Amino acid sequence: MTKINQLIEKIDGGNNPLFQELYGTDKSTLTAQAARYASLMSEFEKTYGSDDVDLFSSPGRTEIGGNHTDHNYGRVLAGAVNLDMAAVAAKNGSNTIRIKSVGYPEFQVDLSDLSIDESQFYTSSSLVKGICARMKEVGYEIGGFDACIDGRVPKGSGLSSSASFEVLVGAIVNNLFNDGKMGGVENAIIGQWAENNYFGKPCGLMDQTACSVGGLITIDFEDPSKPIVKEVDFDFVSTGFSLVITDVGGGHDDPASQAEYASLPTEMKAVAAELGAEVLREVTLEQIVDKIPEIRKKTGDRAILRAYHFQGDNQRVVDQVAALENNDFEAFLKMVVESGYSSYMYNQNIFDVVHKDDQVVSLGLAMSEMVLKGSGAWRVHGGGFGGTIQAFVPQNKLDEYVKTLEHIYGKGKCHTLFIRAKGAVKLEL
């Protein structure tokens, strides 16, 4: 750990090379980030009375290829982005974790009781407890610490603020108590386990892995206990395109809408089950087509369409990676659009049939096509049914694109991002 005044000196108003790697080279952005960390350290000292701390950062993530493929053990292409969660943390010598996030009251986790408490599902404290329980179970040390966190990964943005938080907590425990020996993929697996078992939400592993590992990566979940993570060597900055994520809003929390979302993996797995498999990764498109007359009687037609989407997008990830590695960005953009059309027509996660008049994603995609057709790419981003859309926008159309989308969804709803190389890390300044 390091004294706060020494850390502020090392940050050097954002001129530190690590800050440029995390946040880009724009001077005003770097100055703002330096002020952000200084404010967070001041808050930590005021709240917890210590000026000997470590700094941490965990990025959000963007799904670039493979929409709704991970939960059926498929492939994805994802990247860590420059919107992140920053943390100031230090051991407190107790058996209690105390976390205060900007804009939220402090919560505490008692490490003497690591049992699952269903009454605490969907809370941050349950995630922290689950991460510590799993780390202890697999042989890592845990202990009490204090942390102040500033989250800049917008909630509900499709950039995975929950996964970013999970692997941030894992990185803090890993570095404070285990000398940083836990790898990024294992941190992701533990975060997912906590979300499934202590938070009460079934989820795949893509979000946590992308946030934890960093950079542009492709992940193969054929064996979900040992996902194969491969870094993709491609410089997006050199293309002259910006990655724009637009918060289109929408989405509903009522039971009918939640059932719509849950139907995606359920229906895909139902098709697999009719072929004697657990997930779609275990079957081929040819097998599905051969048995369509029998399968549709059991699952309905939508499930088959979703299975068709899975097979197409799962292969498309391989082709997208090949295109990027061959510096064929035009072919890559073409496949981004193809993936988006597949999600719309076959996976059908653009709007839910319960609220058919509320089509915020559909409208955003239409406006994106209007501006970018022939010169960019656009698709639904993440789970769908609201949330966000993704676009690759050439610089000469960036202002027009942002103006068009924010005219509809509101100022500040477009986030212009880049892929950052580092995942959830302790800042070694």
Side-chain angles (χ1 to χ4, degrees):
M1 290 188 286
T2 309
K3 295 292 184 182
I4 287 176
N5 61 346
Q6 293 175 311
L7 288 169
I8 292 174
E9 186 176 330
K10 288 180 178 180
I11 290 171
D12 188 23
N15 291 318
N16 185 285
L18 177 57
F19 262 57
Q20 295 178 13
E21 188 176 353
L22 296 178
Y23 303 112
T25 56
D26 179 75
K27 293 293 291 183
S28 61
T29 299
L30 291 170
T31 300
Q33 289 293 343
R36 173 196 185 197
Y37 278 88
S39 174
L40 202 56
M41 286 186 277
S42 175
E43 178 67 20
F44 184 93
E45 187 173 14
K46 182 173 70 174
T47 304
Y48 298 115
S50 172
D51 69 344
D52 204 13
V53 300
D54 284 323
L55 305 182
F56 297 85
S57 168
S58 176
R61 72 96 184 101
T62 180
E63 167 210 291
I64 296 171
N67 188 236
H68 279 281
T69 51
D70 60 334
H71 50 61
N72 267 253
Y73 300 0
R75 307 179 185 96
V76 297
L77 177 63
V81 298
N82 51 302
L83 292 177
D84 72 339
M85 290 191 173
V88 180
K91 293 181 182 180
N92 60 24
S94 76
N95 210 31
T96 300
I97 293 171
R98 301 182 294 184
I99 295 178
K100 188 176 190 304
S101 294
V102 174
Y104 298 91
E106 180 194 78
F107 68 85
Q108 300 187 5
V109 175
D110 182 359
L111 297 178
S112 64
D113 178 12
L114 293 176
S115 60
I116 295 175
D117 182 355
E118 292 188 8
S119 70
Q120 294 298 305
F121 274 9
Y122 305 108
T123 65
S124 297
S125 59
S126 68
L127 284 173
V128 175
K129 183 193 281 191
I131 290 163
C132 290
R134 187 59 175 168
M135 288 186 71
K136 182 178 181 181
E137 187 176 307
V138 298
Y140 290 106
E141 296 294 325
I142 63 172
F145 66 86
D146 300 322
C148 284
I149 297 174
D150 178 34
R152 299 287 176 91
V153 183
K155 287 191 174 181
S157 66
L159 298 172
S160 296
S161 59
S162 59
S164 181
F165 175 76
E166 290 160 21
V167 299
L168 175 65
V169 172
I172 291 171
V173 177
N174 182 32
N175 283 278
L176 292 185
F177 301 99
N178 297 279
D179 299 320
K181 64 185 179 184
M182 181 173 69
V185 174
E186 188 173 9
N187 186 11
I189 291 171
I190 287 172
Q192 183 213 21
W193 186 91
E195 186 163 341
N196 291 171
N197 294 280
Y198 278 70
F199 191 75
K201 179 182 176 182
C203 66
L205 188 57
M206 175 185 70
D207 297 351
Q208 292 85 352
T209 307
C211 294
S212 184
V213 174
L216 182 64
I217 58 173
T218 182
I219 314 167
D220 189 334
F221 293 110
E222 186 169 19
D223 180 352
S225 67
K226 297 177 182 177
I228 300 171
V229 180
K230 176 189 172 186
E231 294 184 22
V232 180
D233 184 15
F234 184 81
D235 179 11
F236 266 109
V237 176
S238 67
T239 66
F241 282 69
S242 291
L243 170 62
V244 181
I245 303 294
T246 302
D247 179 2
V248 298
H252 298 270
D253 292 329
D254 55 277
S257 294
Q258 291 172 356
E260 273 279 278
Y261 186 88
S263 72
L264 282 154
T266 301
E267 289 185 5
M268 287 185 184
K269 290 175 181 177
V271 172
E274 292 302 314
L275 293 166
E278 181 182 350
V279 292
L280 286 175
R281 183 60 182 273
E282 298 169 353
V283 303
T284 66
L285 178 58
E286 291 74 21
Q287 288 174 307
I288 295 170
V289 171
D290 184 56
K291 296 291 184 181
I292 283 179
E294 295 93 334
I295 296 173
R296 66 191 297 239
K297 294 175 185 176
K298 300 285 187 65
T299 68
D301 292 337
R302 187 175 69 171
I304 296 172
L305 290 169
R306 285 174 164 170
Y308 181 73
H309 163 80
F310 172 89
Q311 296 294 341
D313 241 30
N314 192 45
Q315 178 57 42
R316 200 159 13 244
V317 169
V318 177
D319 298 336
Q320 286 177 303
V321 170
L324 291 175
E325 291 179 336
N326 291 324
N327 286 311
D328 190 348
F329 194 60
E330 186 175 336
F332 166 79
L333 292 177
K334 182 173 179 287
M335 285 184 276
V336 171
V337 176
E338 289 172 355
S339 174
Y341 283 145
S342 180
S343 291
Y344 206 144
M345 292 186 292
Y346 309 130
N347 204 39
Q348 300 182 29
N349 61 319
I350 306 304
F351 62 93
D352 72 64
V353 296
V354 180
H355 306 90
K356 62 182 183 300
D357 294 329
D358 186 5
Q359 297 199 27
V360 292
V361 177
S362 310
L363 182 59
L365 294 173
M367 294 299 98
S368 297
E369 181 180 53
M370 181 183 76
V371 177
L372 299 176
K373 190 171 184 177
S375 62
W378 58 95
R379 68 193 281 272
V380 66
H381 181 247
F385 303 114
T388 57
I389 61 173
Q390 175 190 82
F392 293 91
V393 185
Q395 290 304 308
N396 64 348
K397 291 201 171 183
L398 183 59
D399 289 344
E400 179 189 0
Y401 183 78
V402 171
K403 182 179 178 181
T404 301
L405 271 292
E406 291 193 344
H407 168 66
I408 299 167
Y409 299 107
K411 192 167 181 61
K413 294 298 185 179
C414 290
H415 303 284
T416 303
L417 308 175
F418 66 83
I419 304 297
R420 85 174 210 184
K422 292 190 180 298
V425 291
K426 174 185 170 183
L427 272 55
E428 302 287 356
L429 299 169

